[in-house]
Amino acid sequence: MTTSETTTSGARAVSLDGRRFQFEGPLEPGFEPGGFVTLSTPTGSICLGQVEEVSFSLGGGLHGSGRILGMIPDEGGVLDSRTPTPFSAADVRVADAPTIESLYDGAATSLVIGSHLGSDSVPARLLPRRLNRHTFWCGQSGSGKTYALGVVLEQILLHTALPMVIFDPNADFVKMHEAATTGADSPASRVLAERDIRILRPDSDSLRVRFLDLAIQSKAAVLRLSPLDDRAEYNELLRLEETVGTLDAHAVVPRLLERGSPAAQDLAARAENLNLIEWSVWAGTSEAVTDVLDRRPDATVLDLGGFAFPDESLVVAMAVLDDLWAKREQRRPILIVIDEAHNLCSPDQNSPLHVAVRERIIQIAAEGRKFGLWLLLSTQRPSRIHPSILSQCDNLALMKMTSQVDLEELATIFGFVPPDMLARASRFAQGEALFAGSFSPAPSMVKLGQRLTREGGADVGVPIRGV
């Protein structure tokens, strides 16, 4: 491969181990954390490197360090990842588009999600085969987090056969089956139109849960029962299926009252006091959300925001996660996308339903990967995600983040990302992001592309009076 570098440069570099390099040179654009450079060594080999830290002085030059990603073959093709020979002097220049593209030459499939910051001609890509690691997606309000997440989910639908279930509390993804106005007739939009995308909403028969299908621990969480503190009622709950069979939810309380035992009467009173019979989430004999997911549509969007009672959305989440976990030995891969993940993963929520959902997500985070249960968690604050969940994430997507506390926490958890790259997140514009981890060959600063489908929850504009 020949490299036509995008700038001339007087920068020089040295590498003592063939893995990392230090450089210094005149103050020129292009040398910033996350930037890709070529290093031409005295032996004639050319390496691709990435700048990780840079400092400069007024009136002086710049110096910094970085990591060597591999050697660029003379004939082009896949980047040679073998460690090059250490060198005492090398010319450093900003890498051109074809050279950066060599990072992805060995990938059978990649997802084009936008372009590299500073170079619109260089597509930014993710490796879909590495979505088999848990992913953390983070960005403060106004960063474009949800819109950008939609860009990536569309690419997954276009280029993989990986089904996904999307927990959508704000109706942001309920129009994923509708093409955006711009580019509605593009080939990609036509492919998306052929995908099996199910939108389940509270007014849909399929966004329902069968109470009797829940695990006993989940039933107890719904009824706020302790097996020790509420022994008699809990024991009655164990026999509930033989008591009510598959009756409609509205018949549960009358049947319990017919039994006449103190425990059955107490359990009926508990159900009434909690308004459980008034919940619209119960499926009875109708199709349940778990039935839909068993058929593995390409994407299943669960609109959790429209229930009358707040705990109904938690019941849906619990039923889905419990069912996926119970059937884990089938090893049917699925991407579990949880938008506004702090609603389900917060360490501070302590109601029985919150605890039950969070504990299941902790279990999936720790053990689900080998069964094909892969998480993608999106939120505004890393501190609002339970540490036992966050620590299991291997992929990071970071959008604008100005909180130094949050950036320091991310630096601790995702230690493979150079701190100077993380620091750039405080200066990101809307729609810009850092992608790092196993789904990106190297940490990449990205400007996300355009959505192909309609966004469901765009911001409401401020009414302006005419002058």
Side-chain angles (χ1 to χ4, degrees):
M1 176 181 292
T2 60
T3 59
S4 54
E5 293 82 357
T6 58
T7 67
T8 59
S9 172
R12 302 281 286 173
V14 59
S15 175
L16 301 179
D17 57 5
R19 300 177 185 274
R20 298 190 57 79
F21 65 93
Q22 290 77 42
F23 70 94
E24 61 180 4
L27 195 60
E28 294 182 356
F31 290 88
E32 57 186 350
F36 295 98
V37 297
T38 59
L39 303 103
S40 302
T41 70
T43 62
S45 62
I46 301 177
C47 303
L48 178 62
Q50 185 172 40
V51 176
E52 293 185 342
E53 59 177 344
V54 177
S55 60
F56 64 92
S57 58
L58 293 176
L62 58 82
H63 60 274
S65 63
R67 180 168 62 103
I68 297 175
L69 303 174
M71 294 184 291
I72 303 169
D74 292 336
E75 67 279 6
V78 180
L79 191 70
D80 188 342
S81 61
R82 289 179 299 172
T83 303
T85 303
F87 49 84
S88 58
D91 293 325
V92 186
R93 291 180 171 83
V94 176
D96 63 8
T99 303
I100 299 174
E101 281 281 287
S102 68
L103 281 167
Y104 308 98
D105 281 346
T109 303
S110 61
L111 312 179
V112 178
I113 58 171
S115 59
H116 281 267
L117 276 185
S119 180
D120 291 339
S121 64
V122 184
R125 306 173 186 269
L126 295 180
L127 305 179
R129 61 187 177 86
R130 289 302 186 179
L131 290 170
N132 64 350
R133 300 292 189 271
H134 303 314
T135 300
F136 183 61
W137 192 295
C138 189
Q140 68 186 39
S141 179
S143 63
K145 171 173 57 69
T146 302
Y147 183 95
L149 177 57
V151 173
V152 173
L153 297 184
E154 289 169 355
Q155 289 297 310
I156 294 172
L157 281 169
L158 281 171
H159 299 292
T160 81
L162 174 62
M164 64 182 80
V165 55
I166 303 169
F167 293 86
D168 184 10
N170 296 324
D172 288 315
F173 300 99
V174 296
K175 296 183 179 180
M176 279 193 71
H177 59 318
E178 302 177 25
T181 304
T182 303
D185 294 328
S186 68
S189 293
R190 290 195 291 271
V191 171
L192 282 175
E194 297 172 356
R195 295 291 186 256
D196 183 10
I197 301 174
R198 295 292 308 273
I199 311 296
L200 307 185
R201 313 191 76 163
D203 56 359
S204 162
D205 288 340
S206 296
L207 193 56
R208 299 285 186 268
V209 171
R210 295 192 196 93
F211 181 78
L212 295 177
D213 285 350
L214 298 177
I216 183 61
Q217 295 86 352
S218 299
K219 293 174 184 173
V222 172
L223 287 158
R224 305 183 191 181
L225 283 173
S226 164
L228 298 180
D229 296 337
D230 309 296
R231 293 186 294 275
E233 289 179 73
Y234 194 92
N235 189 262
E236 188 70 36
L237 181 64
L238 290 172
R239 298 198 298 271
L240 186 63
E241 186 166 357
E242 62 188 64
T243 301
V244 302
T246 58
L247 292 174
D248 183 82
H250 292 85
V252 171
V253 169
R255 182 60 64 89
L256 284 170
L257 292 174
E258 287 175 12
R259 285 178 59 81
S261 68
Q265 291 179 334
D266 288 345
L267 190 58
R270 181 184 292 267
E272 287 184 319
N273 292 343
L274 292 172
N275 285 319
L276 298 186
I277 305 307
E278 302 305 317
W279 291 6
S280 63
V281 74
W282 305 124
T285 57
S286 302
E287 183 178 56
V289 60
T290 48
D291 298 328
V292 176
L293 285 174
D294 265 344
R295 297 194 292 271
R296 286 296 193 272
D298 295 310
T300 306
V301 179
L302 311 181
D303 178 12
L304 300 177
F307 286 110
F309 297 91
D311 281 352
E312 291 182 272
S313 61
L314 290 172
V315 172
V316 170
M318 182 173 61
V320 168
L321 295 170
D322 279 356
D323 190 67
L324 291 174
W325 182 253
K327 297 170 181 174
R328 64 191 181 279
E329 292 291 350
Q330 297 178 4
R331 297 178 182 270
R332 301 174 66 197
I334 189 168
L335 183 65
I336 304 169
V337 182
I338 305 180
D339 194 24
E340 306 296 347
H342 50 272
N343 291 332
L344 303 182
C345 304
S346 171
D348 302 321
Q349 300 281 4
N350 293 312
S351 75
L353 272 173
H354 275 109
V355 171
V357 172
R358 183 177 66 231
E359 290 300 313
R360 181 62 74 202
I361 296 175
I362 289 174
Q363 192 168 31
I364 291 173
E367 306 173 48
R369 187 175 62 80
K370 61 185 176 183
F371 298 110
L373 304 179
W374 304 317
L375 296 169
L376 193 164
L377 309 173
S378 175
T379 188
Q380 295 179 16
R381 297 287 303 276
S383 60
R384 299 177 70 184
I385 303 298
H386 195 284
S388 295
I389 300 171
L390 188 53
S391 64
Q392 296 296 324
C393 294
D394 293 324
N395 295 323
L396 172 66
L398 175 63
M399 304 194 73
K400 184 172 185 176
M401 180 70 64
T402 57
S403 168
Q404 189 60 36
V405 173
D406 287 331
L407 290 173
E408 289 174 357
E409 183 176 359
L410 290 172
T412 300
I413 296 167
F414 299 97
F416 54 84
V417 185
D420 283 13
M421 291 192 198
L422 285 173
R424 285 190 66 183
S426 65
R427 305 188 298 275
F428 282 158
Q430 188 179 60
E432 297 177 349
L434 163 65
F435 287 87
S438 57
F439 66 174
S440 181
S444 299
M445 306 292 177
V446 174
K447 180 179 180 181
L448 274 295
Q450 296 294 310
R451 289 279 298 266
L452 299 170
T453 60
R454 294 182 62 190
E455 185 181 13
D459 291 344
V460 176
V462 176
I464 304 297
R465 294 186 185 277
V467 178

